[in-house]
């Protein structure tokens, strides 16, 4: 089945599709750095259209590329979610990021596939957009654009219920003739963080600023953290936040004395070993951001190991990607260090933006081929 991928990012979400007979033959992405990564990450031949889908020329280019491949069976659309997310407290019906769905639906009606999957944050169902001078709920807008005989069914799904060791809620809208495309059932068992990263041979312990170059393990390194943050987290138990510490809590020094600072209990917080990882965000490289700190292992002195964020290699694992899938972008130097083709900040950001690939595959597999 041929797939058109809109808002493709770097194509992580498409990772398992081709080997399951879902061929992404055309993709569109706005940002050039992501297009460059996509081309190098995917060895298959994809017609990749770089540019803003809101522009008529880009729409025409996408349509022309699709025509070369014959029938497009499925459109996968994962528009940027910042305008709809909880982090965007002031939702604006005129937010251009939200109105990208207008252009996605135009492409649906141009290409005329049998199926379309729209993935976004759970808040999508409650988001409103401005369309032709009127404010309309985004799901109702989607439904209003469907040809006769097509239905759109939206449901909130969590990646942890679909084979990934990460709790990540997403709104999944499935468009099909007569509504025959159904959402997948939840899997009975969850995959935990321990299942994925509690292996010293793949993920040796790290301290702030350390790497695993001497063990020839690329992408398993952590940034140099603020030493105060390191101290707070070294004294924070697994699954807990430093805000609950009695001595080593987040603070500032004023007039020579410590003053507690306030913050969300999801920050300066260690993950739990025996649960799926929390949602990986674009700020996954900061101890002070949400649920980012390694679970750690308790030492005899009562402190905990790994007072740090997860390495990129560990994040690949909890996103359901092979841990070696970026190794081609790492090159060993004469001094034993690694040179990387892409900056760690860039890779961390696109990992935080991704549609989790095993979740995508679980949904695609429910298509009725008959």
């Amino acid at each position: 089945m041929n797939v058109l991928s809109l808002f493709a990012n770097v194509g992580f979400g498409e990772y398992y599709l081709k080997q399951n007979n879902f061929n992404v033959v055309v993709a569109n992405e706005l940002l050039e750095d992501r297009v460059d990564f996509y081309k190098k990450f995917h060895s298959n031949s994809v017609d990749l259209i770089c540019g803003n889908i809101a522009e008529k020329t880009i729409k025409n280019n996408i349509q022309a590329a699709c025509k070369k491949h014959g029938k497009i069976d499925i459109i996968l659309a994962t528009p940027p979610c910042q305008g709809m997310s909880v982090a965007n407290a002031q939702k604006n019906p005129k937010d251009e990021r939200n109105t990208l769905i207008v252009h996605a639906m135009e492409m649906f009606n141009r290409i005329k596939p049998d199926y379309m999957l729209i993935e976004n944050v759970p808040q999508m169902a409650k988001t409103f957009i401005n369309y032709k001078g009127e404010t309309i709920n985004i799901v109702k807008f989607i439904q209003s654009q469907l040809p006769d005989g097509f239905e759109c069914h939206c449901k909130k799904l969590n990646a942890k219920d679909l084979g990934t060791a990460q709790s990540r809620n997403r709104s999944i809208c499935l468009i099909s003739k007569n509504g025959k495309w159904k959402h997948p059932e939840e899997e009975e068992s969850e995959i935990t963080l321990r299942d994925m990263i509690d292996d010293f041979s793949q993920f040796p312990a790290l301290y702030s600023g350390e790497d695993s170059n001497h063990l020839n393990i690329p992408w398993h390194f952590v940034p140099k953290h603020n030493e105060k943050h390191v101290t707070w987290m070294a004294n924070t138990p697994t699954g807990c936040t430093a805000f609950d510490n009695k001595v080593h809590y987040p603070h500032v020094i004023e007039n020579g004395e410590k003053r507690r600072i306030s913050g969300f209990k999801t920050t300066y917080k260690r993950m739990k070993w025996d649960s799926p990882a929390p949602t990986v965000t674009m700020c996954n490289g900061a101890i002070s951001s949400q649920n980012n700190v390694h679970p750690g292992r308790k030492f005899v002195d009562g402190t905990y190991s790994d007072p740090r964020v997860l390495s990129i290699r560990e994040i690949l694992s909890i996103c359901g990607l092979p841990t070696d899938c970026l190794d081609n972008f790492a090159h060993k130097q004469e001094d034993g260090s690694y040179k990387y083709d892409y900056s760690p900040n860039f890779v961390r950001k696109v990992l935080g933006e991704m549609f989790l690939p095993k979740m995508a595959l679980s949904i695609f597999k429910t298509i009725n081929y008959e």
Side-chain angles (χ1 to χ4, degrees):
M1 301 184 82
N2 287 342
V3 182
L4 162 63
S5 178
L6 301 178
F7 319 102
N9 194 0
V10 298
F12 282 149
E14 305 161 15
Y15 191 84
Y16 298 112
L17 296 184
K18 184 176 181 181
Q19 55 197 267
N20 287 274
N21 299 316
F22 299 104
N23 278 337
V24 177
V25 293
V26 181
N28 168 238
E29 167 56 39
L30 170 66
L31 301 174
E32 291 184 5
D33 56 355
R34 285 152 178 73
V35 169
D36 175 72
F37 189 105
Y38 189 112
K39 289 178 179 177
K40 294 175 181 175
F41 184 68
H42 289 277
S43 57
N44 58 328
S45 57
V46 177
D47 282 327
L48 196 52
I49 312 298
C50 181
N52 188 349
I53 195 175
E55 297 176 4
K56 184 177 180 179
T57 300
I58 298 301
K59 289 193 186 82
N60 291 341
N61 290 344
I62 295 171
Q63 187 172 9
C66 288
K67 190 174 181 179
K68 290 194 307 182
H69 295 277
K71 180 175 175 55
I72 298 295
D73 301 287
I74 312 166
I75 292 179
L76 169 62
T78 56
C81 66
Q82 290 89 341
M84 305 180 200
S85 68
V86 173
N88 181 26
Q90 302 298 323
K91 295 183 178 64
N92 182 353
K94 296 183 180 180
D95 191 317
E96 292 183 358
R97 295 169 298 184
N98 296 344
T99 56
L100 288 172
I101 194 66
V102 173
H103 306 289
M105 293 311 299
E106 180 181 339
M107 292 310 305
F108 174 82
N109 285 300
R110 283 195 186 199
I111 303 299
K112 303 184 187 304
D114 293 328
Y115 305 93
M116 183 173 186
L117 187 161
I118 303 170
E119 177 264 359
N120 217 291
V121 294
Q123 291 73 30
M124 182 180 77
K126 298 180 180 180
T127 298
F128 288 77
I129 63 172
N130 186 285
Y131 180 65
K132 294 185 177 180
E134 295 185 4
T135 299
I136 183 173
N137 174 272
I138 202 166
V139 175
K140 289 185 177 180
F141 166 77
I142 293 169
Q143 293 169 336
S144 74
Q145 300 300 299
L146 297 179
D148 290 342
F150 278 79
E151 297 178 14
C152 173
H153 296 286
C154 295
K155 185 177 181 180
K156 184 173 74 173
L157 299 179
N158 195 321
K160 71 182 179 63
D161 301 319
L162 297 171
T164 303
Q166 184 182 154
S167 179
R168 189 178 184 89
N169 280 309
R170 309 305 283 174
S171 179
I172 303 295
C173 293
L174 300 182
I175 296 171
S176 62
K177 293 178 181 177
N178 303 314
K180 64 181 180 181
W181 192 6
K182 304 297 182 182
H183 293 83
E185 297 294 327
E186 296 180 359
E187 296 183 7
E188 293 184 2
S189 59
E190 293 181 347
I191 305 171
T192 70
L193 197 59
R194 189 184 301 279
D195 293 329
M196 301 309 296
I197 69 168
D198 190 20
D199 181 348
F200 278 109
S201 65
Q202 285 198 70
F203 308 108
L206 294 174
Y207 197 76
S208 170
E210 289 186 340
D211 57 52
S212 298
N213 295 346
H214 62 295
L215 297 173
N216 297 317
I217 305 177
W219 298 106
H220 187 57
F221 61 90
V222 290
K224 182 70 174 175
H225 293 309
N226 183 303
E227 281 303 315
K228 292 191 299 182
H229 295 178
V230 172
T231 299
W232 300 342
M233 299 318 304
N235 289 275
T236 300
T238 300
C240 297
T241 172
F243 283 111
D244 291 337
N245 293 345
K246 294 183 178 179
V247 178
H248 299 285
Y249 48 80
H251 66 272
V252 294
I253 302 296
E254 290 183 349
N255 300 320
E257 295 184 356
K258 288 166 58 174
R259 178 180 66 79
R260 278 185 180 270
I261 59 175
S262 59
F264 293 107
K265 290 296 185 74
T266 52
T267 61
Y268 299 105
K269 185 178 180 181
R270 285 190 181 269
M271 302 177 188
K272 298 178 181 178
W273 277 117
D274 296 315
S275 299
T279 302
V280 173
T281 70
M282 290 187 290
C283 297
N284 59 73
I287 281 179
S288 57
S289 192
Q290 296 186 28
N291 296 301
N292 280 346
V293 184
H294 188 282
R297 301 173 179 86
K298 191 174 183 179
F299 293 134
V300 293
D301 65 358
T303 62
Y304 287 77
S305 73
D306 298 277
R308 60 171 178 87
V309 298
L310 297 186
S311 71
I312 288 173
R313 201 174 189 89
E314 288 167 327
I315 293 174
L316 290 172
S317 182
I318 64 171
C319 285
L321 286 163
T323 57
D324 63 354
C325 70
L326 298 183
D327 285 4
N328 287 339
F329 300 141
H331 311 283
K332 202 69 179 286
Q333 305 298 293
E334 290 185 3
D335 63 359
S337 65
Y338 280 101
K339 180 181 179 181
Y340 296 101
D341 293 342
Y342 296 92
S343 76
N345 287 339
F346 170 79
V347 175
R348 285 183 177 277
K349 185 174 182 179
V350 296
L351 284 169
E353 295 173 333
M354 70 187 293
F355 184 18
L356 295 174
K358 290 186 177 180
M359 184 180 198
L361 180 61
S362 293
I363 298 167
F364 269 64
K365 279 186 169 182
T366 64
I367 289 178
N368 187 346
Y369 290 93
E370 297 178 2

